[in-house]
Amino acid sequence: MVYEELERRLNDGGYKNWVKAGQCLFLLREGLLPLTTQHARAFHGDLLNRNTQLKKPCQSSLCMPKGNMFSPTCRLCAEWRTEILRHCRHPDATLNWDNCVPPKWRSDYWEVAKAFMPRGQGKGKGAEHCDAAALLNLINHCDCFHFVDSKCVREVIRFRNELMHSCRLHVGDDWMRRFSTSLAKLLQQLGAMPQIATAAKHIKEMLSADLSIYVSGVDRMDSSTQDGLESDSVLHCQISAVLIGQWEADLLQESLQESLHAAEDALQTRDPEQLKSLGGFLQANRDLSLRFSAELQAINSLHSRE
């Protein structure tokens, strides 16, 4: 059976919940793309219109962050820094200057937006290069999203972090109910853009889907055909299994990248148990150990240096 290992994993209800919740976050991200792009671009334009000094170019080649510290050497980048801090919704929050290239602030709206995001967003050129966590943090920290209750945003961020940092890759049914409620509250806050409505619809469908049914359908392909199912129905089962496998792989990829980045970043708190658990999980599943062989090698390399 092609999907035997995937079906076995999905027989664990907690793991199936983990995959479903992860896919809900991917669907949320899709809905946030146009919203964050539109408001970040408008915010940048408004800053330039309100303060014409910001339109002038950087006057120094030394205006670059050092780690997460940024002490501008030119007056114009200092003005930009002041404006960005002024528009932070939470005065005590730490902005991640190392995401930014300050001389580009006057010409690139996304360079400004990245200051409000978590570390590791430096290479991103737009919302399409960000995960849900980055976009949610932008909404939480930048006051151009003042119309969204930051408490709702922070609650979804908390659920997202619990999901991604779960050593067991497992969440319970009660957690899923609270997660679902949190997502619904946030989506109500985000307005009436068509993409938000579409995301809300698809998230609702995902939360009620029984993923194991589709995978089991693939394994019963021969008997199903004999029972009289049309070939289109069998094909639908095949596509569903492929999609579920891709959702699982996307979620594992994001979790692996985040954990490996944190392990290699001296400024972030390391969680050795998270990496150890991920490595053990990959090794216990042959299909995943093959698919993520490079990441598994990186995990083993980190452990060997400890």
Side-chain angles (χ1 to χ4, degrees):
M1 295 184 289
V2 177
Y3 298 103
E4 180 179 5
E5 291 187 86
L6 174 60
E7 182 173 17
R8 176 179 53 78
R9 290 193 292 274
L10 292 175
N11 282 336
D12 179 339
Y15 183 74
K16 182 161 56 177
N17 283 343
W18 188 77
V19 173
K20 288 172 67 172
Q23 183 59 19
C24 286
L25 290 171
F26 283 116
L27 292 169
L28 174 64
R29 171 193 173 274
E30 292 300 306
L32 293 178
L33 292 179
L35 177 79
T36 50
T37 298
Q38 175 183 318
H39 284 276
R41 183 181 282 120
F43 172 64
H44 184 260
D46 188 56
L47 289 180
L48 293 173
N49 290 332
R50 288 174 178 269
N51 186 346
T52 57
Q53 291 295 312
L54 300 178
K55 297 180 179 180
K56 297 180 180 180
C58 172
Q59 299 171 331
S60 171
S61 60
L62 301 177
C63 285
M64 292 297 293
K66 294 181 179 179
N68 205 35
M69 302 298 294
F70 179 49
S71 300
T73 58
C74 88
R75 179 177 57 83
L76 296 170
C77 286
E79 185 73 13
W80 266 109
R81 184 180 184 277
T82 298
E83 285 288 345
I84 291 171
L85 286 169
R86 183 178 294 136
H87 289 279
C88 183
R89 299 177 77 180
H90 311 291
D92 296 333
T94 298
L95 296 187
N96 290 302
W97 304 111
D98 58 341
N99 285 337
C100 309
V101 180
K104 293 184 178 181
W105 279 337
R106 73 187 185 100
S107 59
D108 188 341
Y109 75 96
W110 202 250
E111 284 298 323
V112 175
K114 289 190 294 187
F116 299 99
M117 298 182 193
R119 289 172 56 80
Q121 301 298 319
K123 294 181 180 179
K125 302 299 182 184
E128 66 276 11
H129 297 122
C130 296
D131 60 13
L135 300 181
L136 288 169
N137 273 276
L138 170 61
I139 294 170
N140 180 48
H141 288 296
C142 182
D143 69 2
C144 72
F145 298 97
H146 61 86
F147 56 92
V148 183
D149 185 351
S150 62
K151 291 182 180 178
C152 291
V153 184
R154 290 198 299 272
E155 188 173 337
V156 174
I157 291 173
R158 178 175 61 81
F159 276 111
R160 182 266 175 196
N161 290 340
E162 289 176 0
L163 184 79
M164 300 304 292
H165 301 155
S166 168
C167 289
R168 296 177 57 204
L169 309 183
H170 181 288
V171 292
D173 291 340
D174 182 62
W175 187 97
M176 288 292 287
R177 283 189 287 271
R178 290 183 284 111
F179 173 62
S180 174
T181 300
S182 179
L183 281 178
K185 289 180 180 177
L186 175 62
L187 288 164
Q188 289 175 353
Q189 291 272 323
L190 292 175
M193 291 184 72
Q195 295 87 346
I196 296 296
T198 298
K201 176 178 179 290
H202 290 164
I203 287 171
K204 185 177 180 180
E205 293 171 349
M206 175 56 56
L207 288 168
S208 63
D210 185 353
L211 302 188
S212 61
I213 291 176
Y214 300 106
V215 175
S216 297
V218 174
D219 291 332
R220 292 196 298 267
M221 187 182 301
D222 292 338
S223 61
S224 296
T225 305
Q226 293 169 1
D227 289 340
L229 282 180
E230 295 294 329
S231 60
D232 285 348
S233 299
V234 176
L235 179 60
H236 173 73
C237 291
Q238 286 180 298
I239 293 173
S240 296
V242 171
L243 281 174
I244 295 167
Q246 188 59 54
W247 297 339
E248 177 193 46
D250 289 343
L251 183 56
L252 285 168
Q253 183 73 60
E254 183 175 333
S255 183
L256 284 162
Q257 286 179 345
E258 184 168 316
S259 295
L260 285 168
H261 183 268
E264 295 170 351
D265 189 336
L267 296 180
Q268 292 198 40
T269 303
R270 296 186 59 182
D271 184 359
E273 287 304 313
Q274 171 72 5
L275 267 182
K276 183 179 180 181
S277 178
L278 279 170
F281 180 77
L282 295 180
Q283 289 176 328
N285 292 270
R286 185 174 180 276
D287 58 333
L288 297 179
S289 66
L290 292 172
R291 183 163 193 162
F292 295 104
S293 58
E295 289 81 2
L296 189 54
Q297 183 176 1
I299 291 172
N300 292 335
S301 177
L302 281 170
H303 289 327
S304 68
R305 297 204 303 260
E306 293 178 348

